[in-house]
Every structure is written in C-alpha cells, then in structure tokens.
Amino acid sequence: MVRFKNFSFQYANSQKLSLDNIDLTINKGDFLLLIGKTGSGKSTLLKQLKANLVVGKSTKGTIELNTEDANISYLSQFVDNQMITECARDEFNFILENMNYTENQRHMRIAEVASYFGIIDLLDSTESELSGGQKQLISLAGALITDPDILLLDEPTSQLDPIASEKLLQMVHKINTELNVTVILVEHSLERNTFYANRMAIIEDGKIVLDRGVDSALKSIFDDNFYRNYLSQIDRSYLELGLGNATLPLNNHQFSKILNDHHNEITYKKRLPKQNSAQTVLKVKNLSFRFDFEAKNIIDKVSFKLDKGQSYCLVGPNGVGKSTLIRVISQQLLQQSGSIKIDNKSVKNNPDLFEKIFILPQNPALLFVSDTVFGEIEFQLQQSQTVTESQVNEVLNQYGLSELKNISPYDLSGGQQEFLALVIGLIKNPEILFLDEPTKGLDPNKILKLNDLLNEYLANDGIVFANSHDLVFATKFDDMSMMFDGKLNDFQVPTEFFKDKFFYTTEINKASRDSFPDALVWNDLRNK
C-alpha cells in the first residue's frame, strides 16, 4: 500500500537531510509503530504521505501510494493547530461538506463518531472551553469520520489522561482489525501501544535502523543502551530481572504471575522520602473559578501551599481544570473568589509576579520571540545581564542545543520546542516553575534529562508544580494530588498516592501490588 524507495527529503530552510535513503514498505492492514528520539524525523516521514503537509523537497527516490490523498487522514501532535472552526460539530460538518456528503449523511456520520468517541457533550463546546486532551479526541474523531484507508497518528496520546489514552488505542486497534485501516503510529512511549502493533520501526537521524515484528524489536531494543529506556516499564523490568524468554510485550497478568513465581529471587528498593524545608512560598486559599456566571465551578474552593525545594504533580482526567488552575494562579484568568499569595503578597496587580514564576504552556511556541534557537537563548540571558556570543554558546552546549542553534524555534519538532521552552524557564530561574504537560513530545532519554534539570533546580530551593498524564514521570515528584470535579485531593508522596488506585497508577504497580505493593517503576524491583 505504501512504499518508500531510497527516499530522501530536505526542508526548504535546512542544509541537512531530514530523511535519508528511506526504504520502507507498509502493507494494507499493517499497524506500524514508529519510534525514535526527539527530532529524528518521525513526524517528517508521516507528513510525506499527505501532499499538503510537505514543506520542502524530495532529493532522491520515490514514494508509491495505492490510494488517493483524500483517503489518508493525519492527526498532528500540535492539537492547537488542528481545529479550524469554532466547535466540534462545525469541524465535522466542514470536513464532510468538503467530501460532498449530503446533510443526512453528515448527520448520521457525526452521530456515529460522536457516540463512538464519547464526545456528544463536547460537540458544541467552543475551542477555548476544551482541554488539550479533549481537542485531541475531537481531532481523532475528525480524522476517522471520512472512513480513511490510511490513518497517520503523530503522538495521539500525548495530551490524554491514562484512561482516555487506553480507550483511544483500543479504538484505533478496532478500526485497524475490523475495518482493515492501515495505521502508522508515531510515539515515544511504548507503555501500552505495543499490544496493538504488528510491526515496529526505529528512525534515527532520518534513517530507518530497525524494522521488525514487535517481540523481536523489543528484545533488540533492550540490547541497545540508548533505546533501552523506550521499553515499557513491564517489559523493561522483566528483561532486567532476567526471568525467562517469554514473548513480548507482557501484559500485567502475565508479569504478576512471573513475579509471584520468582518472589524469593526479587527485592523491592525502598524509596526514601525527602525532607521538606517547610518554607512556604505560595498559598492558595478557597480559590474558585468558572468561565460563565451561571456555569459550574471549574475550580471549587481549592486550597494548598507550595514549599521551597519541593515538587508537586497534579494528575486527573482531561478537562477537569488542571491547566485552568495554573492560568488562574498566574492571573491569566481572574478568580471569582479566594486568595493567592506568593511570598505573603497577593498576586493581584503584583508587578513582580512574572519575575517570581515561569509557566510552560501546553503550546510552548507561545513563548518564542526570536528567529533562531540561538536568539531565544540570547534574549533570555540578556534579561538579567550583558552576554557575549561565547556565553550563549556555552549555555546551548550545556543543554544540548548546539546543533539546533541556527534553526527557527518554529521549525523544531514538538519535543524540541517543549525542551527549548523548559530551558528558557530554567534560565529565568524563577521561584516557581509551572509546567503544563512538560513531557509531551519528549523521548524517554530527554525525559531523563528533564528530570536531572528539575532536580538541579529543586536543589537550589526552586519549586516545581506540574500537570501531567505521564504517570511514570509523576513518580519522580515529592508530592502528588488528583484533580476532579473542581477539587484537589490532599497531596501525598507517590507510594501512598498510587497504592490504592485502580486506573491512575503505573503498570508496574498494577502488576506487582500483590507481591511488592510499593513498587512503581521498573528499577524499584531488583534481583536479590
């Protein structure tokens, strides 16, 4: 159905090949899982299959496609760029009208897809009222509403909560198996999607370096020091512990049985809690917010405090107000009631507010002001000192951004934009870092780098407050809470937070709670 034959591609504003001699065949009905480090060419490869997305030129080779462009649907990693109308209903009608569907056909298609995705209540919500995850679900529904032959998915679960992510993958799997739709899925996490794919490929610096069946690919990845971190927590733990030669991926039931069978050979590495400085910087008391006067409170009498040197993570379903909470604290939205104080001073009309806090938004491109990555770093450094070119280069090197220095930040991959925006925040060195889904678009090794950078910041008495759907990332925080129905649960350390959850917990914890109830990630379990 799709064949890349010795295909190379170069962006119009780049001197480097983004795809280099790609030779890849994708058959009808395949579910191909494509992984690779941030900026390796994954999204670029997907876009080659939709002519209107290509900005650059093929330098060599060909692409053979046995279907029309109209029969190929693409879902971008940038959810804010996908919707072009005011609400989901208008979006679906617009897509179907352009495909010459009658009014009756449009009505039936919208009814079917809205029911299937559970988004009936969101059909008439405006874009500004939708969370990033809700936009992602609507965009996927829009991609499928025309019954495509090929579905191209670029990190479709990056802004979805764990339950919605699982449902989305199940939906895509059902479409793949029952309707024989060919699926090419680009992802960084291999936490659940390996169960649905029949093939895995790795792209590295624009080249396909691996293309195998899933079991063989996962075992090969484990033997590679770089890609080993991409493995799911269950498969990584199983292979690290050396408990056999089962077919991968393993589900939780299989791994739980293996752990019980080998219980006497394994030990749990206890986590040591960090001492709290008890120096409170931010106090939120009885905070409430709603978008409309007669609407339900999105934030409902929320109270909490943030202390120096501590990290806090919020989890919860899409659309419950996690991002809104950050926007209210930072006065992008004004609360109806309650108080917010930083260093015992109200944030209202506080001219020093944005000197004390930094917000990494869901769309990091909103922070960029320069034409190059070099310019972005230079601009931020100049806010506090006079800097030389060599000093800027030193910072670029420190954060691993030197190779990107002359590239426009708007031309970076989603993950590269996310990381650059975080570096901008660290350069500002605020009292509090507010991070809204900071791991989206980042490969597992970049997430490890992110953890290291945040730990350095915390060691200097910084405070991190993050929203995340990445539960493995959330285990690295000092305190956690769940947001639901406008309220926050009490903050708890990760081992206490996760241990009694059915869905909002890690796969390791689900599988090991009968034998090792405090285990959360693969390296919590060790050989004796």
Side-chain angles (χ1 to χ4, degrees):
M1 174 164 255
V2 178
R3 187 177 180 191
F4 291 84
K5 297 176 69 175
N6 302 319
F7 182 81
S8 296
F9 174 83
Q10 187 173 343
Y11 281 107
N13 57 352
S14 174
Q15 303 300 313
K16 178 184 176 184
L17 289 176
S18 293
L19 298 176
D20 188 0
N21 207 37
I22 297 289
D23 196 358
L24 178 68
T25 299
I26 302 163
N27 301 311
K28 174 69 175 173
D30 267 351
F31 193 133
L32 174 66
L33 178 57
L34 181 64
I35 67 171
K37 66 182 180 181
T38 302
S40 61
K42 303 181 299 298
S43 299
T44 302
L45 188 145
L46 276 194
K47 290 177 181 178
Q48 302 309 306
L49 303 180
K50 287 289 288 182
N52 64 327
L53 299 176
V54 177
V55 182
K57 62 180 180 180
S58 166
T59 62
K60 178 174 95 165
T62 59
I63 302 175
E64 296 176 3
L65 269 171
N66 293 337
T67 189
E68 299 296 322
D69 186 78
N71 296 325
I72 302 173
S73 290
Y74 172 80
L75 181 62
S76 168
Q77 61 183 305
F78 299 106
V79 294
D80 288 326
N81 298 339
Q82 296 251 115
M83 290 182 66
I84 59 174
T85 61
E86 184 66 18
C87 65
R89 191 188 301 275
D90 291 344
E91 189 80 8
F92 298 152
N93 269 309
F94 178 79
I95 293 168
L96 294 170
E97 281 178 5
N98 282 317
M99 301 290 288
N100 296 317
Y101 282 76
T102 67
E103 182 178 355
N104 185 64
Q105 288 172 326
R106 296 199 304 271
H107 179 78
M108 293 300 294
R109 280 293 175 107
I110 293 172
E112 188 175 30
V113 78
S115 300
Y116 189 72
F117 281 89
I119 56 173
I120 293 173
D121 293 341
L122 302 178
L123 283 176
D124 298 305
S125 297
T126 63
E127 185 181 6
S128 62
E129 295 172 331
L130 297 170
S131 71
Q134 289 169 330
K135 291 177 188 177
Q136 194 82 320
L137 281 175
I138 289 168
S139 296
L140 179 65
L144 292 172
I145 203 167
T146 57
D147 189 20
D149 292 329
I150 300 176
L151 183 59
L152 310 174
L153 302 174
D154 195 351
E155 298 188 54
T157 63
S158 62
Q159 295 192 50
L160 298 182
D161 65 68
I163 296 172
S165 294
E166 181 69 21
K167 287 182 177 178
L168 183 144
L169 289 169
Q170 289 173 353
M171 290 174 190
V172 173
H173 175 63
K174 187 174 184 179
I175 291 160
N176 170 246
T177 55
E178 294 186 5
L179 303 178
N180 206 31
V181 173
T182 303
V183 177
I184 307 175
L185 171 65
V186 164
E187 275 286 10
H188 285 125
S189 169
L190 299 181
E191 205 55 48
R192 301 297 297 171
N193 42 44
T194 48
F195 292 105
Y196 307 115
N198 68 311
R199 289 171 59 191
M200 275 184 63
I202 296 177
I203 187 168
E204 183 177 305
D205 295 327
K207 300 175 185 286
I208 298 292
V209 297
L210 180 144
D211 180 10
R212 297 185 185 177
V214 174
D215 173 62
S216 175
L218 292 174
K219 289 172 180 173
S220 177
I221 285 172
F222 180 69
D223 293 329
D224 187 296
N225 288 333
F226 183 86
Y227 291 106
R228 186 178 298 172
N229 292 321
Y230 283 68
L231 288 168
S232 74
Q233 296 291 299
I234 294 289
D235 293 336
R236 177 75 182 270
S237 183
Y238 172 75
L239 293 169
E240 291 281 358
L241 293 169
L243 299 177
N245 192 34
T247 300
L248 301 181
L250 291 174
N251 62 38
N252 292 348
H253 174 73
Q254 292 169 318
F255 189 57
S256 179
K257 184 178 185 307
I258 290 169
L259 288 179
N260 286 329
D261 290 345
H262 295 268
H263 187 273
N264 293 331
E265 304 166 34
I266 303 168
T267 186
Y268 164 69
K269 180 190 174 186
K270 188 174 182 179
R271 294 170 169 238
L272 299 176
K274 188 169 75 175
Q275 291 296 316
N276 190 331
S277 70
Q279 297 181 50
T280 298
V281 173
L282 181 137
K283 291 180 181 178
V284 174
K285 187 175 181 180
N286 293 326
L287 186 67
S288 294
F289 172 83
R290 58 184 179 271
F291 282 105
D292 297 312
F293 181 75
E294 296 181 352
K296 179 182 177 181
N297 279 348
I298 301 295
I299 301 168
D300 190 11
K301 297 181 180 178
V302 165
S303 299
F304 63 92
K305 62 186 182 67
L306 304 182
D307 295 338
K308 275 188 178 182
Q310 294 289 111
S311 60
Y312 305 81
C313 186
L314 286 190
V315 299
N318 292 111
V320 297
K322 301 186 299 298
S323 298
T324 302
L325 178 61
I326 291 178
R327 293 172 67 194
V328 173
I329 291 173
S330 60
Q331 297 296 279
Q332 297 172 64
L333 298 170
L334 300 180
Q335 71 264 32
Q336 271 76 39
S337 62
S339 65
I340 309 164
K341 292 183 178 180
I342 292 182
D343 296 326
N344 290 318
K345 187 175 181 180
S346 174
V347 298
K348 283 188 175 180
N349 303 315
N350 186 337
D352 299 326
L353 176 62
F354 287 97
E355 295 297 319
K356 295 177 178 291
I357 69 173
F358 172 81
I359 301 162
L360 176 64
Q362 287 193 6
N363 182 5
L366 295 173
L367 300 176
F368 302 147
V369 297
S370 180
D371 293 333
T372 64
V373 171
F374 182 95
E376 291 292 343
I377 301 300
E378 182 180 45
F379 176 81
Q380 295 303 325
L381 291 172
Q382 285 174 341
Q383 302 311 299
S384 59
Q385 59 184 311
T386 302
V387 295
T388 64
E389 182 177 346
S390 63
Q391 288 174 314
V392 177
N393 284 324
E394 184 178 339
V395 173
L396 288 165
N397 186 59
Q398 175 187 352
Y399 292 108
L401 296 171
S402 296
E403 291 185 1
L404 306 176
K405 62 183 289 186
N406 296 319
I407 298 176
S408 167
Y410 303 101
D411 291 335
L412 299 176
S413 72
Q416 289 170 328
Q417 287 187 349
E418 194 78 14
F419 193 76
L420 174 60
L422 177 75
V423 170
I424 289 171
L426 292 170
I427 289 172
K428 289 173 72 70
N429 193 31
E431 289 189 52
I432 308 174
L433 276 176
F434 288 100
L435 309 178
D436 201 349
E437 299 295 340
T439 63
K440 66 180 183 297
L442 299 185
D443 66 62
N445 291 306
K446 275 292 186 189
I447 293 175
L448 292 176
K449 175 68 173 174
L450 167 63
N451 283 325
D452 290 341
L453 293 174
L454 293 181
N455 284 335
E456 290 177 18
Y457 168 76
L458 290 166
N460 291 309
D461 285 337
I463 298 171
V464 177
F465 185 92
N467 299 329
S468 185
H469 295 310
D470 184 342
L471 297 184
V472 174
F473 176 67
T475 66
K476 309 300 182 185
F477 284 71
D478 299 316
D479 295 286
M480 293 188 61
S481 176
M482 176 177 282
M483 190 166 190
F484 181 73
D485 208 21
K487 299 182 183 296
L488 291 188
N489 295 108
D490 292 338
F491 280 97
Q492 297 174 291
V493 296
T495 48
E496 290 299 316
F497 177 87
F498 283 120
K499 69 191 309 179
D500 61 350
K501 304 294 187 298
F502 291 106
F503 304 108
Y504 275 87
T505 189
T506 64
E507 300 305 314
I508 288 286
N509 186 253
K510 291 177 190 175
S512 68
R513 58 177 50 182
D514 288 341
S515 47
F516 302 97
D518 290 334
L520 301 179
V521 293
W522 71 267
N523 51 358
D524 285 343
L525 299 175
R526 303 287 179 89
N527 292 111
K528 283 185 177 178

